[in-house]
Amino acid sequence: LDRRVGSTGGLGGLFGILQGLGYPLPTLLTRPVGMLLAPLLRPLKLALPTAAEDTAMPRPTAAEAERLDEAILLQLADAVLTADFGSGEPSLLAERFEF
């Protein structure tokens, strides 16, 4: 679900309904602090990326040789779920994973 699509301005629940109907609440009540401070933080290169900047950034993907076969991937996913999302068998998780 993409919060940037539609007329609710990324808001959910009652805030989204009111925004969509044209009765928005004050911005200070409906936006996270990072979004409110973005104009001040952007010149310092500390702001979160905008929607356009975020979609323009390439996402890291595994090389063809590093990708798992679908059968192996399904088997590992089943094992992780069976092991209570890996807490029962930490060897199923990535080496750098932390609980």
Side-chain angles (χ1 to χ4, degrees):
L1 185 63
D2 192 351
R3 296 173 34 166
R4 298 171 293 215
V5 175
S7 62
T8 63
L11 302 175
L14 184 59
F15 290 167
I17 293 169
L18 291 173
Q19 177 81 17
L21 293 173
Y23 300 103
L25 294 172
T27 302
L28 293 175
L29 296 175
T30 61
R31 300 290 178 228
V33 175
M35 189 180 285
L36 295 172
L37 295 178
L40 300 173
L41 297 174
R42 195 161 284 118
L44 303 172
K45 305 227 186 285
L46 296 173
L48 294 172
T50 63
E53 292 168 345
D54 190 41
T55 55
M57 283 189 226
R59 300 282 186 235
T61 57
E64 190 66 37
E66 297 173 329
R67 294 183 188 162
L68 295 175
D69 181 52
E70 184 177 352
I72 295 172
L73 187 59
L74 289 173
Q75 181 183 7
L76 288 172
D78 182 54
V80 168
L81 293 175
T82 304
D84 198 18
F85 295 101
S87 62
E89 191 176 337
S91 65
L92 294 171
L93 304 174
E95 294 174 12
R96 297 183 314 227
F97 184 84
E98 296 179 12
F99 286 101

